[in-house]
Amino acid sequence: MPENDIDPHAAPSLSAVEAEHSNDAGLSTDAAEHTPARLAPLVDRARGYVDAASSANTRRAYASDWKHFTAWCRRQGLSPLPPNVQTVGLYITALASGSGAAGQKGAAVSTIERRLSSLSWNYTQRSLHLDRKDRHIATVLAGIRNSHAAPPRQKEALLPEELIAMLETLDRGTLRGLRDRAMLLIGFAGGLRRSEIVALDVGRDQTDDGRGWIEILDQGIVVTLRGKTGWREVEIGRGSSERTCPVVAVETWMKLAKIAHGPLFR
């Protein structure tokens, strides 16, 4: 994939192209302007659904990655738009190679793959398509994986006795200790991710950035979560001992912290 295969002068200037495709909302500015006034509420609702398709953190990460890519293109005299598989292939090569300075390491394979996903998403929002299966991208990425990828590390599972030892380090006389105790127990019992635990609300639709909520029943807690593939429910039963019961821990935290609405853990 020689660099001289790319003619930077054949693509529009960066500023001109970015101005033309500056709308990331999935609905172009031109389309919105030509939509009949009576459909304006539907346009606003559609934009809301577009925002709901991904979390705010994900959109911020995609925007940051796009900014990084366009800055690299500007330095190389290339244009990020329209999508050019050779340009993207050179970009991920540059990421893997680092700056070329002595001791400078390239980006991790996971970082490169994330940036590549971000580029695909950004192009899709501009009604453009990046062919990631093209040899200029797929073959280069395969070579990067073979050359730089570290073998996966299997984490050891946390055992119940280790969890109990962790709980014993927490002060039951402070709200922080009660909160952390509830977070550890509900996370362990439900197999929840850290991001899922901290995004829980007390009830449904109580915060804009909430990713789920809880419902306390006689038998236990039902945790409703929104993930990448949709909604799911996790049932957490009451424990045989109040000392390690996740439901009692959550109830105690909510009662003493006087939490009845909004984020569950704060």
Side-chain angles (χ1 to χ4, degrees), residues 204-205 210-213 224-233:
R204 181 172 184 167
D205 299 332
R211 306 292 291 180
W213 65 89
T224 304
L225 299 163
R226 181 172 64 185
K228 293 182 178 179
T229 58
W231 293 94
R232 65 186 178 96
E233 288 187 349

Side-chain angles (χ1 to χ4, degrees), residues 30 103 124-125 158 184 200 216-217 236 260:
D30 290 341
T124 299
Q125 302 313 301
L158 183 69
L184 282 173
L200 285 175
I216 300 179
L217 308 173
I236 300 176

Side-chain angles (χ1 to χ4, degrees), residues 19 44 47 51 62-63 65 68 75 82 100 109 112 117 132-133 143 145 158 160 166 172 221 227 243:
D44 293 337
R47 284 175 172 157
D51 289 340
Y62 285 164
D65 288 341
H68 186 276
R75 292 193 300 270
V109 173
I112 296 173
S117 296
R132 293 181 55 174
K133 294 183 179 180
R145 289 195 186 107
L158 183 69
M166 295 167 64
R172 297 191 186 186
I221 294 177
R243 179 166 153 264

